[in-house]
Amino acid sequence: MPLFNPRTQRWSDNFTWSSDATTVEGLTIIGRATIVCLRMNNLVILVARRRWTISGWHPPDD
């Protein structure tokens, strides 16, 4: 399965944020495979995203 390529694909076509903006969710098979392979929702980054959300730094503007 190919992974997401930011040079040729748009992030918003393959991913979205959860309602609390801490978890990346895959919209396509490529998005879901990328999340798993790159461990984009590991515990360390989830804690960081939660803190960034509280501080108003997250989610990023598209």
Side-chain angles (χ1 to χ4, degrees):
M1 174 56 50
L3 298 181
F4 173 70
N5 182 346
R7 293 182 182 192
T8 60
Q9 298 170 310
R10 290 176 17 147
W11 192 93
S12 60
D13 290 341
N14 293 282
F15 307 99
T16 191
W17 292 106
S18 62
S19 60
D20 65 357
T22 59
T23 305
V24 179
E25 298 175 343
L27 298 174
T28 64
I29 190 72
I30 290 172
R32 291 186 293 274
T34 302
I35 290 168
V36 171
C37 288
L38 299 182
R39 299 185 59 229
M40 294 172 68
N41 290 321
N42 69 66
L43 182 58
V44 173
I45 195 63
L46 291 177
V47 170
R49 285 186 196 136
R50 192 167 295 117
R51 291 179 181 165
W52 297 339
T53 300
I54 291 167
S55 299
W57 301 338
H58 186 74
D61 296 327
D62 286 339

XYZ file of all heavy atoms in Angstrom:
505
model
N 0.847 -1.175 0.000
C 0.000 0.000 0.000
C 0.892 1.237 0.000
O 1.785 1.344 0.833
C -0.892 -0.036 1.246
C -1.733 1.199 1.459
S -2.836 1.692 0.122
C -3.686 0.205 -0.257
N 0.660 2.158 -0.911
C 1.450 3.402 -0.896
C 1.075 4.266 0.304
O -0.048 4.227 0.796
C 1.073 4.089 -2.206
C -0.253 3.525 -2.566
C -0.291 2.128 -2.001
N 2.036 5.042 0.768
C 1.795 5.977 1.857
C 1.530 7.364 1.291
O 1.797 7.634 0.118
C 2.991 6.009 2.806
C 3.315 4.702 3.508
C 4.513 4.890 4.432
C 2.126 4.170 4.277
N 1.033 8.233 2.127
C 0.730 9.610 1.756
C 2.000 10.317 1.285
O 3.042 10.231 1.909
C 0.143 10.336 2.961
C -0.056 11.807 2.753
C -1.026 12.275 1.885
C 0.737 12.715 3.430
C -1.210 13.634 1.705
C 0.566 14.071 3.257
C -0.408 14.528 2.389
N 1.887 11.022 0.157
C 2.997 11.798 -0.382
C 2.565 13.262 -0.426
O 1.766 13.655 -1.273
C 3.353 11.313 -1.786
C 4.526 12.055 -2.367
O 4.936 13.099 -1.875
N 5.085 11.515 -3.438
N 3.105 14.090 0.473
C 2.669 15.487 0.528
C 3.040 16.299 -0.715
O 2.494 17.374 -0.931
C 3.373 16.027 1.771
C 4.533 15.129 1.976
C 4.115 13.783 1.476
N 3.933 15.783 -1.531
C 4.297 16.500 -2.764
C 3.255 16.339 -3.855
O 3.135 17.180 -4.733
C 5.645 16.021 -3.274
C 6.769 16.395 -2.356
C 8.079 15.950 -2.899
N 9.138 16.294 -1.964
C 10.411 16.231 -2.252
N 10.799 15.820 -3.448
N 11.310 16.556 -1.357
N 2.507 15.246 -3.779
C 1.547 14.986 -4.853
C 0.105 14.865 -4.373
O -0.804 14.787 -5.197
C 1.923 13.697 -5.607
O 1.904 12.599 -4.680
C 3.298 13.814 -6.247
N -0.096 14.828 -3.051
C -1.439 14.637 -2.512
C -1.750 15.718 -1.488
O -0.859 16.240 -0.838
C -1.549 13.256 -1.840
C -1.336 12.120 -2.816
C -1.197 10.799 -2.097
O -0.415 10.671 -1.164
N -1.970 9.817 -2.542
N -3.033 16.022 -1.353
C -3.468 17.014 -0.359
C -3.783 16.307 0.953
O -4.448 15.275 0.964
C -4.704 17.755 -0.852
C -4.421 18.689 -1.997
C -5.658 19.346 -2.529
N -6.798 19.260 -1.612
C -7.721 20.183 -1.489
N -7.679 21.254 -2.235
N -8.734 20.030 -0.641
N -3.336 16.907 2.058
C -3.548 16.340 3.387
C -5.042 16.153 3.644
O -5.467 15.103 4.111
C -2.924 17.261 4.437
C -2.819 16.661 5.799
C -1.744 16.001 6.312
C -3.825 16.662 6.829
N -2.021 15.593 7.604
C -3.290 15.985 7.942
C -5.114 17.164 6.926
C -3.995 15.808 9.121
C -5.825 16.978 8.095
C -5.258 16.304 9.183
N -5.820 17.172 3.321
C -7.257 17.147 3.628
C -8.031 16.111 2.816
O -9.152 15.767 3.181
C -7.866 18.531 3.424
O -7.694 18.953 2.090
N -7.461 15.605 1.742
C -8.108 14.536 0.986
C -7.934 13.174 1.659
O -8.698 12.248 1.400
C -7.545 14.449 -0.430
C -7.938 15.632 -1.297
O -8.913 16.331 -0.951
O -7.253 15.866 -2.311
N -6.912 13.046 2.486
C -6.576 11.759 3.083
C -6.750 11.681 4.595
O -6.831 10.588 5.146
C -5.119 11.409 2.743
C -4.941 11.146 1.276
O -5.276 10.082 0.793
N -4.441 12.127 0.546
N -6.780 12.843 5.260
C -6.838 12.865 6.721
C -7.831 13.921 7.208
O -8.143 14.866 6.504
C -5.469 13.233 7.319
C -4.331 12.389 6.845
C -3.489 12.836 5.841
C -4.083 11.148 7.413
C -2.424 12.066 5.407
C -3.020 10.367 6.984
C -2.194 10.835 5.971
N -8.245 13.750 8.453
C -9.031 14.752 9.157
C -8.659 14.655 10.632
O -8.007 13.700 11.053
C -10.543 14.544 8.946
O -11.242 15.682 9.431
C -11.045 13.296 9.635
N -9.066 15.654 11.407
C -8.832 15.630 12.850
C -10.066 15.107 13.551
O -11.186 15.346 13.117
C -8.530 17.048 13.364
C -7.224 17.567 12.877
C -7.029 18.522 11.920
C -5.931 17.157 13.300
N -5.692 18.722 11.726
C -4.989 17.898 12.557
C -5.467 16.237 14.228
C -3.616 17.738 12.723
C -4.101 16.083 14.398
C -3.195 16.833 13.651
N -9.872 14.422 14.662
C -10.986 13.986 15.503
C -11.682 15.220 16.067
O -11.159 16.336 15.984
C -10.485 13.088 16.632
O -9.591 13.809 17.468
N -12.823 15.033 16.677
C -13.590 16.177 17.194
C -12.835 16.957 18.263
O -13.018 18.166 18.398
C -14.933 15.713 17.744
O -14.729 14.783 18.793
N -11.962 16.300 19.019
C -11.169 17.014 20.027
C -9.802 17.452 19.494
O -8.984 17.980 20.235
C -11.007 16.177 21.297
C -10.210 14.907 21.076
O -9.820 14.614 19.923
O -9.971 14.195 22.065
N -9.562 17.234 18.217
C -8.348 17.676 17.507
C -7.069 17.045 18.023
O -5.988 17.587 17.827
C -8.229 19.188 17.526
N -7.149 15.877 18.632
C -5.932 15.239 19.113
C -5.512 14.040 18.275
O -4.348 13.673 18.272
C -6.087 14.769 20.574
O -7.174 13.863 20.661
C -6.295 15.947 21.503
N -6.444 13.452 17.562
C -6.176 12.244 16.792
C -6.350 12.505 15.302
O -7.327 13.114 14.887
C -7.141 11.116 17.224
O -7.025 10.937 18.633
C -6.828 9.822 16.525
N -5.380 12.026 14.519
C -5.496 12.093 13.069
C -6.308 10.876 12.631
O -6.033 9.754 13.059
C -4.111 12.067 12.392
C -4.245 12.116 10.880
C -3.239 13.205 12.883
N -7.294 11.097 11.783
C -8.132 10.015 11.278
C -7.953 9.910 9.771
O -7.913 10.926 9.069
C -9.600 10.284 11.619
C -9.849 10.348 13.111
C -11.273 10.732 13.462
O -11.993 11.252 12.584
O -11.646 10.540 14.627
N -7.831 8.699 9.287
C -7.650 8.475 7.858
C -8.967 8.450 7.119
O -9.883 7.733 7.519
N -9.054 9.207 6.049
C -10.257 9.226 5.211
C -10.165 8.220 4.073
O -11.180 7.807 3.521
C -10.469 10.628 4.628
C -10.705 11.745 5.634
C -10.755 13.088 4.901
C -11.986 11.493 6.411
N -8.946 7.846 3.722
C -8.703 6.924 2.617
C -7.825 5.784 3.113
O -7.245 5.852 4.197
C -7.983 7.634 1.460
O -6.688 8.054 1.926
C -8.763 8.829 0.946
N -7.685 4.760 2.301
C -6.806 3.646 2.656
C -5.357 4.133 2.767
O -4.610 3.689 3.633
C -6.953 2.465 1.664
C -6.225 1.231 2.169
C -6.487 2.847 0.277
C -6.887 0.571 3.332
N -4.984 5.078 1.920
C -3.631 5.650 1.996
C -3.458 6.399 3.312
O -2.433 6.268 3.988
C -3.357 6.566 0.789
C -3.234 5.719 -0.482
C -2.118 7.422 1.002
C -3.157 6.513 -1.759
N -4.451 7.166 3.704
C -4.390 7.890 4.971
C -4.314 6.954 6.158
O -3.498 7.136 7.062
N -5.144 5.923 6.156
C -5.130 4.973 7.270
C -3.819 4.209 7.346
O -3.273 4.001 8.435
C -6.326 4.024 7.161
C -7.654 4.746 7.413
C -8.833 3.790 7.463
N -9.120 3.168 6.176
C -9.889 3.696 5.227
N -10.447 4.885 5.413
N -10.110 3.041 4.106
N -3.276 3.798 6.210
C -1.991 3.085 6.193
C -0.866 3.990 6.691
O 0.014 3.547 7.439
C -1.694 2.580 4.787
N -0.887 5.244 6.300
C 0.144 6.195 6.729
C 0.081 6.397 8.239
O 1.126 6.419 8.911
C -0.031 7.531 5.987
O 0.043 7.296 4.581
C 1.029 8.532 6.403
N -1.094 6.536 8.782
C -1.258 6.719 10.231
C -0.661 5.536 10.993
O 0.069 5.719 11.968
C -2.739 6.917 10.589
C -3.220 8.276 10.074
C -2.959 6.796 12.090
C -4.720 8.454 10.109
N -0.947 4.337 10.538
C -0.439 3.139 11.214
C 1.074 3.028 11.062
O 1.801 2.843 12.045
C -1.140 1.871 10.677
C -0.464 0.618 11.200
C -2.612 1.881 11.053
N 1.575 3.156 9.838
C 3.010 2.977 9.585
C 3.873 4.021 10.287
O 4.965 3.705 10.761
C 3.295 2.994 8.089
S 2.727 1.518 7.255
N 3.402 5.252 10.327
C 4.185 6.328 10.935
C 3.839 6.557 12.406
O 4.382 7.468 13.029
C 4.002 7.622 10.147
C 4.450 7.584 8.693
C 4.259 8.946 8.044
C 5.889 7.122 8.567
N 2.909 5.750 12.923
C 2.490 5.860 14.332
C 2.112 7.304 14.673
O 2.572 7.883 15.644
C 3.594 5.346 15.257
C 3.937 3.889 15.018
C 4.941 3.323 15.993
N 4.427 3.455 17.354
C 5.142 3.968 18.357
N 6.371 4.363 18.180
N 4.618 4.061 19.556
N 1.267 7.875 13.852
C 0.890 9.278 13.973
C -0.007 9.569 15.174
O -0.222 10.740 15.488
C 0.208 9.746 12.681
C 1.148 9.755 11.494
S 0.311 10.083 9.929
C -0.194 11.783 10.136
N -0.511 8.540 15.821
C -1.383 8.733 16.980
C -0.828 8.017 18.217
O -1.582 7.531 19.052
C -2.799 8.236 16.671
C -3.500 9.122 15.681
O -3.372 10.340 15.720
N -4.233 8.516 14.768
N 0.496 8.006 18.349
C 1.074 7.355 19.528
C 0.802 8.208 20.767
O 0.461 9.382 20.683
C 2.564 7.079 19.331
C 3.402 8.334 19.298
O 3.515 9.034 20.313
N 3.987 8.635 18.155
N 0.939 7.611 21.916
C 0.570 8.261 23.173
C 1.304 9.577 23.401
O 0.712 10.560 23.841
C 0.813 7.315 24.352
C 0.418 7.848 25.720
C -1.060 8.213 25.751
C 0.752 6.834 26.793
N 2.576 9.622 23.074
C 3.359 10.850 23.302
C 2.798 12.019 22.493
O 2.610 13.111 23.021
C 4.847 10.607 22.963
C 5.639 11.906 23.029
C 5.443 9.567 23.892
N 2.500 11.786 21.231
C 2.001 12.882 20.394
C 0.567 13.240 20.765
O 0.169 14.406 20.667
C 2.144 12.573 18.883
C 1.971 13.849 18.056
C 1.169 11.524 18.421
C 2.985 14.905 18.300
N -0.227 12.274 21.217
C -1.591 12.596 21.654
C -1.575 13.529 22.861
O -2.353 14.486 22.922
C -2.369 11.321 21.982
C -2.711 10.421 20.802
C -3.419 9.157 21.300
C -3.541 11.137 19.773
N -0.681 13.273 23.801
C -0.557 14.151 24.969
C -0.100 15.537 24.534
O -0.631 16.555 24.990
C 0.413 13.542 26.004
C 0.739 14.531 27.107
C -0.175 12.261 26.584
N 0.870 15.590 23.634
C 1.358 16.885 23.145
C 0.255 17.644 22.424
O 0.065 18.844 22.658
C 2.554 16.679 22.216
N -0.482 16.968 21.546
C -1.569 17.639 20.824
C -2.635 18.158 21.783
O -3.194 19.231 21.557
C -2.212 16.689 19.817
C -1.379 16.452 18.597
C -2.146 15.618 17.598
N -1.265 15.076 16.595
C -1.302 13.832 16.151
N -2.218 12.992 16.617
N -0.452 13.418 15.245
N -2.923 17.424 22.829
C -3.910 17.873 23.811
C -3.445 19.183 24.457
O -4.211 20.140 24.601
C -4.127 16.794 24.871
C -5.314 17.044 25.756
C -5.687 15.822 26.591
N -6.147 14.719 25.725
C -5.523 13.529 25.626
N -4.463 13.268 26.334
N -6.001 12.607 24.823
N -2.172 19.246 24.811
C -1.617 20.470 25.406
C -1.607 21.614 24.402
O -1.886 22.756 24.745
C -0.215 20.208 25.937
C -0.215 19.308 27.137
C 1.164 19.039 27.643
N 1.102 18.143 28.791
C 2.133 17.496 29.279
N 3.333 17.665 28.747
N 1.996 16.703 30.305
N -1.256 21.312 23.156
C -1.244 22.349 22.117
C -2.646 22.888 21.881
O -2.825 24.083 21.639
C -0.690 21.795 20.811
C 0.735 21.334 20.864
C 1.695 21.688 21.771
C 1.358 20.402 19.977
N 2.866 21.039 21.494
C 2.696 20.247 20.402
C 0.919 19.686 18.875
C 3.596 19.408 19.749
C 1.817 18.847 18.226
C 3.136 18.726 18.661
N -3.659 22.010 21.932
C -5.042 22.441 21.739
C -5.466 23.381 22.854
O -6.087 24.419 22.612
C -5.976 21.212 21.674
O -5.572 20.385 20.587
C -7.412 21.621 21.487
N -5.127 23.034 24.089
C -5.453 23.893 25.229
C -4.789 25.260 25.084
O -5.382 26.288 25.406
C -5.029 23.216 26.551
C -5.917 21.999 26.808
C -5.077 24.191 27.726
C -5.413 21.081 27.902
N -3.569 25.285 24.545
C -2.820 26.537 24.362
C -3.267 27.324 23.134
O -2.825 28.449 22.929
C -1.329 26.241 24.241
O -0.859 25.622 25.411
N -4.112 26.711 22.294
C -4.584 27.382 21.088
C -3.651 27.251 19.896
O -3.816 27.949 18.896
N -2.672 26.363 19.976
C -1.709 26.177 18.890
C -2.115 25.095 17.916
O -1.445 24.884 16.891
C -0.346 25.803 19.450
C 0.266 26.776 20.379
C -0.019 28.115 20.492
C 1.277 26.511 21.358
N 0.752 28.683 21.460
C 1.566 27.723 22.015
C 1.972 25.373 21.730
C 2.508 27.821 23.017
C 2.902 25.469 22.728
C 3.170 26.680 23.353
N -3.180 24.391 18.232
C -3.551 23.234 17.439
C -5.068 23.177 17.330
O -5.750 23.563 18.273
C -3.019 21.968 18.159
C -3.208 20.708 17.388
N -2.448 20.405 16.292
C -4.088 19.703 17.549
C -2.846 19.242 15.813
N -3.834 18.807 16.557
N -5.654 22.731 16.282
C -5.047 22.179 15.069
C -4.541 23.286 14.154
O -4.986 24.434 14.249
C -6.186 21.419 14.414
C -7.421 22.103 14.857
C -7.118 22.629 16.246
N -3.624 22.933 13.283
C -3.072 23.929 12.362
C -4.115 24.421 11.368
O -5.061 23.704 11.046
C -1.946 23.190 11.652
C -2.305 21.748 11.779
C -3.079 21.608 13.060
N -3.924 25.621 10.884
C -4.786 26.138 9.819
C -4.337 25.534 8.501
O -3.163 25.428 8.229
C -4.679 27.670 9.732
C -5.193 28.346 10.984
O -6.131 27.809 11.605
O -4.637 29.390 11.358
N -5.298 25.130 7.692
C -4.949 24.574 6.387
C -4.736 25.636 5.373
O -5.177 26.686 5.363
C -6.024 23.613 5.907
C -5.982 22.302 6.668
O -4.935 21.992 7.251
O -6.993 21.596 6.683
